[in-house]
Amino acid sequence: MSLIAIVLSIAASFFSTDSVELVFAGDAMQHERQIVAAKSSGGSYDYSGYYDEVRPYIESADFAVVNLETPLGGKPYSGYPMFCAPDSYAEELKDAGFDFILTANNHTLDRRDKGLKRTLDALDRLGLPHTGTFRNRTERDSLCPAIVDVKGFKIGMLNYTYGTNGIKIQNDAVVNYIDRQQIRKDIAKAKEKGAEIIAVCMHWGIEYVLLPNAEQKRLARFLEDEGVDLIIGSHPHVIQPMEMNYNDEYGKKVLTVYSLGNFVSAMRKDDTVGGAMVRVRIKRDGSGKAIVDTATYRLVVVQPPSSSQKNFKVLPAEANFRKDFQPKKNQFVRRATEIFRKHNKNVPADSMSISSYMR
């Protein structure tokens, strides 16, 4: 560890709180049905109300992160297969309480380099920090890894994707692709810059498959061996298990979430109508070292519009749903709960009510 990192670590132990809580959410998608539902008579796009029911859970976190799986590329807006959402979509994510945006995913080049750069411009205008894609190599060298200060805890944030649907970068934009050599360098740089906790968010896996594949497991072990504390997965559009393991070499707990599924989308398949959010508690041990303490999950489900509901809404799984949507919600919850029951390790369901998180 460098002298600078040691000094930062000592300073943090004196000026930080005893613990902080982080929340990670899955894929924030934008399908055609969502765009149509949000369009107002005046031509603007109104996403208000999307997250009202889960806002207390998100806002109560000291640091909340979500994967923005659509460019903000400007008009014309479009859904699958080439996504492009209005800026107000990201604005509503900020209003919901999210503090940090992930941008490295397979749709980040749907509007090519221009759309990638415009997305970053829009997020900057909203005051939403982000990582995963960059306007050019110089910017990447300067801003990656992102180091955020969460009440005195220095958190290193990294984000990578397996690919971009075959679309290639045309000019000087940069996408963080999964490359072990580069990831190893980025992790080392995060430590040099004083990161006490390192979170690596991976866009990986096979769509619609409820269990991680061999490559996800190999990459997770690689990241754990490199000293990563939090491994948070997205892309499959369905949930996959979570594990809290103890790394003997580093003497600490490591959380791996293989997939959080969809945070919000217009997907209709039973396993895709929702996802999970994971809440992680970071604390300081007796020596002042920042460590992962506990993690819990809670299921969320997306209820589509109806005659009495203009927009899509993200609801906690235990909420009251419309009678016509109840069977689909029940099927999602049953299958997700069964996967977590069988395969989760030391990551239980959050038993607290959403209302108990209200500040």
Side-chain angles (χ1 to χ4, degrees), residues 274-321:
M277 292 190 285
V278 65
R279 193 177 196 95
V280 187
R281 184 172 183 262
I282 306 296
K283 72 172 187 179
R284 296 199 180 278
D285 64 14
S287 66
K289 178 183 177 182
I291 58 172
V292 176
D293 184 24
T294 60
T296 58
Y297 75 87
R298 75 180 313 124
L299 295 175
V300 294
V301 181
V302 184
Q303 183 168 262
S306 68
S307 58
S308 60
Q309 177 188 314
K310 178 185 183 296
N311 262 328
F312 289 76
K313 289 183 72 71
V314 181
L315 303 172
E318 68 273 15
N320 292 322
F321 287 78

Side-chain angles (χ1 to χ4, degrees), residues 12-200:
S13 66
F14 284 102
F15 297 108
S16 70
T17 58
D18 291 335
S19 66
V20 292
E21 292 189 344
L22 318 181
V23 162
F24 293 87
D27 300 333
M29 310 290 291
Q30 178 70 171
H31 291 93
E32 188 71 24
R33 288 200 299 152
Q34 293 171 270
I35 296 171
V36 171
K39 189 173 184 179
S40 67
S41 58
S44 62
Y45 293 83
D46 179 12
Y47 294 93
S48 59
Y50 252 51
Y51 311 114
D52 286 353
E53 303 300 323
V54 293
R55 190 185 307 273
Y57 183 82
I58 299 166
E59 286 186 333
S60 65
D62 298 295
F63 185 64
V65 182
V66 66
N67 172 47
L68 178 64
E69 194 153 353
T70 175
L72 307 173
K75 294 181 178 180
Y77 305 125
S78 58
Y80 181 84
M82 304 296 283
F83 291 116
C84 184
D87 294 358
S88 54
Y89 182 64
E91 185 175 355
E92 191 64 21
L93 288 170
K94 179 181 180 179
D95 289 345
F98 286 107
D99 304 294
F100 196 89
I101 302 294
L102 307 173
T103 59
N105 54 68
N106 58 307
H107 288 286
T108 197
L109 288 176
D110 281 3
R111 288 294 175 90
R112 307 305 194 271
D113 294 37
K114 183 178 180 180
L116 180 155
K117 294 180 180 182
R118 191 189 180 285
T119 300
L120 303 183
D121 291 343
L123 294 176
D124 287 346
R125 284 194 298 271
L126 289 170
L128 275 171
H130 48 83
T131 196
T133 58
F134 308 89
R135 296 175 180 88
N136 50 56
R137 176 59 58 176
T138 299
E139 183 175 80
R140 188 195 191 278
D141 291 344
S142 173
L143 300 181
C144 184
I147 308 294
V148 295
D149 187 319
V150 183
K151 294 186 175 179
F153 287 80
K154 303 292 185 183
I155 313 292
M157 296 294 301
L158 291 163
N159 177 213
Y160 306 90
T161 179
Y162 74 92
T164 46
N165 294 342
I167 303 173
K168 304 296 184 182
I169 293 170
Q170 298 166 313
N171 296 300
D172 57 347
V174 178
V175 176
N176 276 354
Y177 293 106
I178 295 173
D179 176 286
R180 291 189 182 210
Q181 184 176 0
Q182 184 61 62
I183 292 173
R184 181 179 284 116
K185 291 178 180 178
D186 292 341
I187 292 170
K189 186 175 179 181
K191 293 175 182 177
E192 291 172 2
K193 292 176 70 173
E196 301 176 274
I197 296 290
I198 298 177
V200 178

